Amino acid sequence: MEKFYSVRMRASKERAHEQGGKHISGGEQIAAYENVRESIIALLDKALTHTRGKPDFLQIQFDLIDEPIRKLEPLPLATNKVETVEEGRLMARNLLEKSGVPRACIEKAFLQITEFFGHRGAILFDIQSNQRVDHPNEKSVRVSRMDWPTDNFAQWADHHAVPRSKRIKEALVLATKVNRNRTTVAELCWSDDPEYITGYVASKKLGYQRITKLKEVGDEHGCRIFFIDGKRDLSSYIEYLEKQPIFIEWDPRLIDNSTALK
Ligand code: PML
Ligand code: MG
């Protein structure tokens, strides 16, 4: 069996993340041994050229994946055009509700949203208790060990007339891993990159729903919230997010499987 390595990067400014530094950039790849060098260089470039600033702490590590890599079909993608942040956020709330997040829970999360800015990982918000549950250390959760082989992504992107953008690829990889899991009800995300204002709501039910404006240009506040069903086992869910290796693989024979969500 071919061996694969998880390659990951994190970069921050002033101090390391755990010492309160400002998050600059993070990245995940899975590579065969002969491609590890290329992955490290790609992640290094990502960290050194980020619009959030020059990092002064950077860590890149790789480790052997010694368990089978599970394959998942990418979530179907749709793009919703909006003109203003207000319209975009209203649309996000509506998509979350359609995905099965109760209205009261959405309102509570939006009231607290400024507390969820600036984390390098994701916030877990429980729809049963209406509160954040990735406490007590406030570290947030980093989804890791996932990738989408370049050729297959390019085929998928060309077929769907989506730009071959690394950012879209990385976001869809993460959203697919997270939202194919039963504990996740829906995800809300927008970037902390001041120049990037498109974000998304994703869920099993609605797929990956891009929203073209969720914040103003120049705003460095981003967020990533997983609305989860807290009746399920939280520790095995976090274990899945952090440890389960995933490859996204699009099967061109399933041409537009928008109704075939698992
Ligand atoms: C990020 O930059 O960290 C998140 C980007 C989310 C949206 C990507 C897209 O579909 O355009
Ligand atoms: Mg980012």
Side-chain angles (χ1 to χ4, degrees), residues 9-111:
M9 172 279 287
R10 65 184 170 112
S12 60
K13 201 170 175 62
E14 275 135 39
R15 289 177 294 273
H17 295 93
E18 54 275 32
Q19 284 151 10
K22 174 190 174 188
H23 174 65
I24 298 291
S25 176
E28 294 287 335
Q29 298 205 359
I30 293 178
Y33 192 78
E34 60 273 22
N35 298 326
V36 165
R37 180 192 305 271
E38 200 183 309
S39 285
I40 290 176
I41 291 170
L43 291 170
L44 182 62
D45 273 349
K46 186 180 182 193
L48 295 182
T49 56
H50 207 280
T51 50
R52 285 175 65 77
K54 284 190 186 157
D56 34 39
F57 169 90
L58 169 69
Q59 189 177 68
I60 298 183
Q61 68 181 68
F62 80 98
D63 54 86
L64 177 68
I65 294 175
D66 50 13
E67 60 207 285
I69 301 181
R70 200 184 290 169
K71 289 184 178 163
L72 295 177
E73 273 288 319
L75 293 176
L77 172 145
T79 300
N80 304 276
K81 289 210 172 74
V82 294
E83 299 302 325
T84 62
V85 174
E86 293 67 38
E87 203 190 324
R89 294 202 184 172
L90 181 64
M91 178 170 286
R93 285 167 144 94
N94 289 338
L95 291 169
L96 287 168
E97 192 174 16
K98 280 192 197 143
S99 299
V101 184
R103 196 83 217 170
C105 180
I106 300 167
E107 296 312 326
K108 179 109 189 276
F110 269 87
L111 273 178

Side-chain angles (χ1 to χ4, degrees), residues 145-239:
R145 297 182 149 215
M146 60 205 166
D147 206 343
W148 189 346
T150 318
D151 293 349
N152 185 259
F153 168 71
Q155 259 187 308
W156 171 90
D158 294 351
H159 177 79
H160 291 86
V162 168
R164 291 183 181 187
S165 137
K166 274 193 193 158
R167 189 192 297 270
I168 295 178
K169 172 177 150 175
E170 287 169 12
L172 186 51
V173 167
L174 184 144
T176 298
K177 176 170 182 183
V178 170
N179 288 281
R180 293 280 190 208
N181 184 291
R182 286 196 302 173
T183 300
T184 311
V185 181
E187 174 188 2
L188 169 67
C189 167
W190 67 82
S191 185
D192 55 6
D193 178 334
E195 290 174 8
Y196 201 81
I197 60 172
T198 297
Y200 66 87
V201 167
S203 63
K204 273 178 265 322
K205 218 167 158 184
L206 302 181
Y208 181 81
Q209 296 278 344
R210 306 175 71 221
I211 302 171
T212 55
K213 190 165 189 180
L214 279 174
K215 65 172 196 185
E216 302 293 346
V217 175
D219 185 349
E220 287 206 333
H221 299 302
C223 70
R224 181 163 260 136
I225 306 172
F226 304 157
F227 291 91
I228 66 163
D229 182 348
K231 286 200 300 284
R232 297 180 177 278
D233 177 7
L234 187 61
S235 55
S236 62
Y237 177 61
I238 293 177
E239 170 88 12

Side-chain angles (χ1 to χ4, degrees), residues 76 180 204-205 254-262:
R180 293 280 190 208
K204 273 178 265 322
K205 218 167 158 184
L254 294 178
I255 300 285
D256 224 353
N257 65 330
S258 8
T259 51
L261 288 175
K262 278 165 221 158

Side-chain angles (χ1 to χ4, degrees), residues 240-256:
Y240 168 85
L241 297 175
E242 294 179 336
K243 299 280 162 55
Q244 171 66 52
I246 298 286
F247 263 141
I248 305 304
E249 190 177 88
W250 177 61
D251 181 350
R253 288 169 309 178
L254 294 178
I255 300 285
D256 224 353

Side-chain angles (χ1 to χ4, degrees), residues 109 112-119 123 125 132 222-225:
Q112 279 174 261
I113 207 143
T114 53
E115 292 163 34
F116 304 154
F117 291 154
H119 290 275
I123 303 298
F125 203 87
R132 183 177 172 187
C223 70
R224 181 163 260 136
I225 306 172

